[in-house]
Amino acid sequence: MMLISMGVLLALSTVLWAAIFARLRYLETRFPPLDSTTPQPSPPGGWPAVSVVIPARNEERDIGATLQSLGRLDYPDFEVILVDDQSTDGTVRAAEGAGPTPCAVRLVRGADRPDAGWAGKNWALVQGAAAARYDWLLFLDADVVLHPAALKQAMAAAQSGRVDAVSVLPAIECRTIWEKTIMPLFASLSALIEPMDRANRPGSAGSRLSGAFILARRAAYEAAGGHRAVAGQIIEDMALARNLKRGGFALRLFWTHDLLATRMYDTFRDLWAGLVRLSYPMMEHRPGRLLLAWAAALVGVWAPWLALAGDWPEAAAGLLLIAIMPVALRKILQILRLPWAYGLLLPPAALVYCLAAAWSAARHHAGRGIAWKQRLYR
């Protein structure tokens, strides 16, 4: 019985990894990056003025680097609006001490949320958009560092493609062993589950934006309801993308090697909190999808390693599947600038992810909500 069970698991694992390999290779060929060297035509009518809106809550670690990178932008006309979302650390002090930059930073002190149903980031973005003066809005996370060509490249893509919103998935910096272990899985799930390529098709219902960098035409943003229409959404970028797509507005999503970069989590505690915040909401709070995630981890990640303890045919099959894992994830590891060997660390990564999703689900169904940035969202 054990032989049959393991044989079935290995067969399913083979099918799963074949599908993963095919999907990632398809994205690699059909979903090209937008980099600083990507040829782009200049807009025939000149470069439109842009309002950069940055929501910041407890971003003392990163806000200085973000503002300094904005000061180095090669773009003729833009303003920067920093919305302090009632930070409890030295965010404002760090912003003021970021050093002289060619761009003036306008600080907006965030007001209290209208009610507990609002996510703090969404309310901060609503306030920032209200203070903005220009017809193009760039919503930028407070922990993103920009290449000098970032805004020009994004605007050129928007103008040449005649789209209403351009978004760029940032390169993710990994420094600690936990980041290097978890992020390949996290990036892989993002690429496999979310409709990255379909978001760029006008006739497709697929939609996707990256909240780290969203350049949107104000008219389209407001017609879709903006962040006010997604007030309580934790994963607000996906909800905003759906509203824009349903409104008939054209989106364009890119990934990049160098236009923007972020370091999402610098400690395991922050990483765990981030996974708890994102994992179960990404499953749309459906218990069946959580069970499917555990089943996929068993079949795709753990079964090949467990097979090494079996008879030689099982062990050989398991070893072959283990060798395929870093090959299938080659491009993602390359983007993360990680050696191929980190593709072998999927078992602990999957365990941490599934445990975080289970904890998130338990909190959700118990009515305890999700804690993030010293706030509780139910």
Side-chain angles (χ1 to χ4, degrees):
M1 181 62 69
M2 180 60 69
L3 177 62
I4 295 174
S5 299
M6 182 55 69
V8 170
L9 285 176
L10 290 173
L12 291 173
S13 186
T14 301
V15 172
L16 179 60
W17 278 103
I20 291 173
F21 185 90
R23 175 62 177 164
L24 292 180
R25 289 299 170 272
Y26 175 85
L27 286 176
E28 188 175 342
T29 57
R30 300 295 181 90
F31 189 56
L34 180 67
D35 292 332
S36 61
T37 57
T38 303
Q40 292 281 8
S42 298
W47 298 101
V50 177
S51 295
V52 182
V53 179
I54 305 173
R57 178 172 172 83
N58 297 344
E59 298 288 354
E60 180 180 10
R61 184 195 73 179
D62 299 306
I63 189 62
T66 297
L67 294 178
Q68 288 171 3
S69 71
L70 282 166
R72 295 189 292 268
L73 277 182
D74 177 20
Y75 200 85
D77 192 5
F78 66 98
E79 64 174 353
V80 178
I81 301 164
L82 176 65
V83 184
D84 175 41
D85 185 19
Q86 301 182 341
S87 298
T88 58
D89 66 355
T91 295
V92 173
R93 186 170 58 251
E96 293 173 342
T101 63
C103 62
V105 178
R106 187 146 45 103
L107 177 65
V108 174
R109 299 282 186 173
D112 292 339
R113 290 177 291 162
D115 56 63
W118 275 82
K121 180 180 180 180
N122 297 335
W123 176 234
L125 289 169
V126 166
Q127 295 174 84
R133 296 181 296 168
Y134 299 136
D135 292 333
W136 281 89
L137 305 172
L138 171 59
F139 300 109
L140 184 71
D141 277 356
D143 57 358
V144 171
V145 175
L146 300 176
H147 186 282
L151 187 49
K152 269 192 174 180
Q153 288 292 83
M155 182 60 76
Q159 296 283 308
S160 63
R162 297 182 180 179
V163 298
D164 300 289
V166 165
S167 189
V168 183
L169 294 158
I172 299 175
E173 294 183 4
C174 301
R175 300 179 191 175
T176 67
I177 185 63
W178 284 112
E179 293 170 283
K180 295 175 181 179
T181 299
I182 301 296
M183 284 303 151
L185 175 66
F186 189 83
S188 300
L189 290 174
S190 178
L192 293 167
I193 297 173
E194 297 170 2
M196 292 183 172
D197 53 326
R198 295 191 294 276
N200 295 339
R201 300 177 194 166
S204 170
S207 58
R208 172 82 194 272
L209 293 171
S210 168
F213 185 105
I214 300 175
L215 178 65
R217 196 186 304 273
R218 182 194 283 271
Y221 171 78
E222 292 179 348
H227 286 92
R228 190 176 291 277
V230 298
Q233 295 290 330
I234 295 296
I235 309 178
E236 85 294 333
D237 48 4
M238 298 292 288
L240 179 63
R242 285 193 295 270
N243 288 347
L244 285 165
K245 204 70 177 289
R246 288 169 182 166
F249 299 106
L251 312 181
R252 193 70 191 272
L253 177 71
F254 296 95
W255 61 277
T256 188
H257 290 102
D258 64 355
L259 283 185
L260 53 147
T262 184
R263 187 182 180 198
M264 296 180 67
Y265 313 110
D266 60 346
T267 66
F268 179 78
R269 180 178 179 179
D270 288 344
L271 188 149
W272 174 263
L275 291 178
V276 170
R277 178 176 72 99
L278 295 173
S279 55
Y280 199 50
M282 286 178 67
M283 300 173 189
E284 298 181 348
H285 301 104
R286 298 184 185 182
R289 294 190 178 184
L290 176 61
L291 293 176
L292 184 62
W294 279 92
L298 172 62
V299 169
V301 177
W302 299 326
W305 288 90
L306 294 173
L308 297 181
D311 296 336
W312 76 264
E314 294 176 354
L319 190 62
L320 179 60
L321 286 168
I322 291 169
I324 287 174
M325 293 179 188
V327 176
L329 303 185
R330 175 189 61 83
K331 188 62 178 181
I332 287 175
L333 292 169
Q334 183 185 82
I335 294 171
L336 294 173
R337 299 183 179 90
L338 294 177
W340 68 268
Y342 281 97
L344 301 176
L345 296 182
L346 289 179
L351 180 61
V352 171
Y353 183 87
C354 288
L355 288 174
W359 181 244
S360 178
R363 291 186 62 94
H364 172 77
H365 292 293
R368 296 176 61 191
I370 300 298
W372 183 249
K373 301 272 187 181
Q374 299 182 356
R375 283 182 177 141
L376 185 65
Y377 298 106
R378 298 188 184 279

